[in-house]
Amino acid sequence: MIDRGLLLWFPGPNSFTGDDTIEFHVHGGSAIVSAMYDSLGAFPDTRLAEPGEFTKRAFYAGKMDLTEVEGLADLIHAETEAQRRQALRQANGQLSHFYNSMRSRLVKAIASVEAYIDFAEDQDVDDGVLDATLVEVESLIAELKSHLDDNRRGERLRNGVRAAIVGAPNVGKSSLINLLSQRNVSIVTNIAGTTRDIVESHYDIAGYPVILADTAGLRAFTDDIVESEGIARARAYVDAADLLVLVLDATKLEQPARVDLHLREYAKSIGLSDETLARAMIVLNKCDLLTDAMVDALKTNTSLNLISCKNEAGLPEMLDRMKTRLVQLCGNPLTECPTISQERHRYHLKQCLKQLERYRNYFADTLVGDRDLAIVTYHLRAAVRSIGKITGSVETEEILDVIFSTFCIGK
């Protein structure tokens, strides 16, 4: 007797892996699990599964393709709601359907060209077939370019948005990251230049994964060699960050109307470009030290986020605006078409696009009498293989099937 539990029988091919499968549902104590392993391991030819082996068996059994496998892995590791939604859509085959639809259209295009090559002389296959194929290729090129022009939203959502909190020394950068995390992530003192290195912390903001980095205070000059290295690292992080949170000391502003000028002067003094400044969230900290009239005047500038790390005033409003930025950076998995979530997908899609453009350009650059369709069709085949490498389906027999089913040749 090991435990009182439940045994479930899943006959293939309708199980997850396609194999006949038995599941033992027992209590989760380590002693019970260990005893189950020992007992089951006593049977001949029985071993522990390798990492991912059940999913690998499901893939080889045709239960899912590679995009669904990757979606399942992402779903298991999802830490935020937006990540879960994106991974679930991919695991359920929405991305797979998009790629397989594109691949099917390419297979039909290849079948059309090959039918023209083999049967144009003695069968009813005219030049309109080639024109229709070229139109289809043009349409696929446009769709691929649109799909690739996604600002890497899916990958950013999968891996996390890198956000850098930057600003001059002692403006409240470390206080802000401590406030967001509700714990002492960074050391806070009244001594300028306390933060010397990049301090990263992971957050779930409105369902989106964010990696917030507290950085060294940026200033034009310091004679401290350690602080100087921290500033250099902060600049490098700013260049690579997806989102910038620029914190200013509100008490340093002399006039509300001069905020923009103050920003430009500060950015220029520390070497931040206008482009970098334009993509930053501007946060004015220490607003609890301002007069009510000053606060009201600053609120007329809707690009500013007024907060106080001391009493947490303005924090909900700042987070709402940050959510808007995060939606822009990562998209909305509930409403948008499935996006590219893996660098592997992007690479093969670019290869597919390159081959389709070569096919199109061949017809534009080559005279009708000089065209070798048998050779140029290679580009379409290469495009099909590129998509097949994404889904894990690289087969060529389908092309012959499409030829005979579509053109009814041989009657």
Side-chain angles (χ1 to χ4, degrees):
M1 180 71 173
I2 296 175
D3 189 20
R4 297 178 65 88
L6 177 69
L7 184 148
L8 292 180
W9 162 242
F10 297 96
N14 297 319
S15 66
F16 175 75
T17 63
D19 302 318
D20 292 338
T21 306
I22 291 175
E23 286 187 2
F24 294 91
H25 291 216
V26 297
H27 294 96
S30 57
I32 295 174
V33 174
S34 179
M36 285 296 298
Y37 282 158
D38 290 341
S39 180
L40 293 172
F43 287 93
D45 301 320
T46 305
R47 61 172 176 79
L48 288 174
E50 297 174 357
E53 185 171 353
F54 281 85
T55 305
K56 185 188 292 184
R57 285 173 176 263
F59 168 70
Y60 282 122
K63 309 289 285 188
M64 56 176 60
D65 68 12
L66 284 184
T67 63
E68 293 169 320
V69 169
E70 290 165 329
L72 179 60
D74 289 346
L75 185 61
I76 292 170
H77 295 101
E79 297 180 344
T80 72
E81 179 63 12
Q83 285 178 320
R84 181 193 68 79
R85 290 172 179 171
Q86 175 173 272
L88 185 61
R89 295 184 73 179
Q90 186 170 328
N92 285 344
Q94 292 192 32
L95 195 61
S96 171
H97 176 76
F98 178 77
Y99 292 145
N100 283 330
S101 174
M102 193 172 289
R103 183 172 178 271
S104 296
R105 290 161 64 187
L106 276 173
V107 168
K108 290 180 180 179
I110 295 172
S112 298
V113 177
E114 295 199 346
Y116 181 86
I117 294 171
D118 293 337
F119 305 106
E121 293 183 1
D122 54 1
Q123 297 287 339
D124 187 18
V125 182
D126 57 27
D127 293 342
V129 169
L130 294 181
D131 295 335
T133 298
L134 200 55
V135 169
E136 184 70 277
V137 168
E138 288 280 10
S139 175
L140 287 167
I141 287 173
E143 290 179 30
L144 272 174
K145 286 183 175 179
S146 176
H147 188 54
L148 286 165
D149 187 21
D150 62 347
N151 198 27
R152 296 184 178 269
R153 291 195 300 271
E155 292 163 83
R156 190 178 288 119
L157 176 55
R158 179 175 179 267
N159 299 321
V161 176
R162 306 190 76 84
I165 300 179
V166 298
N170 269 18
V171 295
K173 301 185 300 299
S174 297
S175 297
L176 177 58
I177 200 169
N178 288 346
L179 176 61
L180 290 172
S181 64
Q182 296 296 304
R183 59 190 178 91
N184 293 326
V185 174
S186 295
I187 298 173
V188 177
T189 73
N190 59 0
I191 301 173
T194 302
T195 303
R196 305 295 183 92
D197 207 346
I198 306 295
V199 180
E200 289 187 334
S201 191
H202 293 250
Y203 299 86
D204 178 345
I205 298 179
Y208 289 87
V210 180
I211 305 168
L212 272 178
D214 186 14
T215 62
L218 297 177
R219 49 182 166 182
F221 175 76
T222 176
D223 56 4
D224 187 319
I225 188 172
V226 179
E227 185 184 2
S228 179
E229 175 61 24
I231 291 174
R233 294 186 182 189
R235 293 182 192 278
Y237 200 97
V238 165
D239 292 338
D242 303 308
L243 175 64
L244 297 182
V245 180
L246 179 56
V247 183
L248 302 177
D249 184 344
T251 63
K252 303 294 185 182
L253 300 175
E254 298 177 359
Q255 300 176 24
R258 292 175 56 85
V259 173
D260 293 338
L261 178 61
H262 178 82
L263 276 170
R264 288 196 298 271
E265 290 177 347
Y266 173 68
K268 183 178 180 180
S269 70
I270 60 174
L272 291 182
S273 66
D274 291 340
E275 181 183 356
T276 301
L277 185 60
R279 63 187 179 93
M281 281 186 64
I282 310 301
V283 176
L284 296 184
N285 186 31
K286 306 182 184 180
C287 288
D288 55 304
L289 301 177
L290 302 179
T291 64
D292 291 342
M294 185 74 162
V295 170
D296 291 339
L298 288 170
K299 283 183 177 179
T300 61
N301 189 335
T302 57
S303 66
L304 302 177
N305 297 274
L306 278 61
I307 70 166
S308 168
C309 290
K310 183 177 181 180
N311 59 25
E312 303 186 13
L315 186 63
E317 293 80 5
M318 188 198 81
L319 290 176
D320 283 341
R321 291 188 177 184
M322 186 175 285
K323 177 186 176 181
T324 301
R325 290 290 191 96
L326 293 174
V327 172
Q328 293 171 350
L329 289 168
C330 301
N332 188 337
L334 278 180
T335 59
E336 295 185 3
C337 293
T339 54
I340 303 169
S341 61
Q342 305 267 354
E343 178 60 34
R344 183 181 74 83
H345 300 176
R346 189 174 300 277
Y347 171 80
H348 291 304
L349 288 172
K350 286 181 178 179
Q351 296 301 309
C352 177
L353 177 61
K354 186 185 300 184
Q355 295 298 335
L356 292 180
E357 288 177 332
R358 287 177 177 173
Y359 179 87
R360 177 196 62 189
N361 295 341
Y362 181 86
F363 280 88
D365 300 337
T366 309
L367 297 175
V368 175
D370 297 333
R371 291 171 182 170
D372 189 332
L373 296 179
I375 293 178
V376 75
T377 308
Y378 165 81
H379 296 308
L380 294 184
R381 289 182 175 275
V384 168
R385 283 196 295 272
S386 293
I387 294 181
K389 288 177 181 177
I390 297 175
T391 62
S393 175
V394 184
E395 300 176 11
T396 58
E397 295 298 321
E398 293 175 73
I399 296 170
L400 290 176
D401 294 338
V402 173
I403 289 177
F404 292 112
S405 63
T406 303
F407 290 93
C408 300
I409 295 165
K411 280 189 175 180

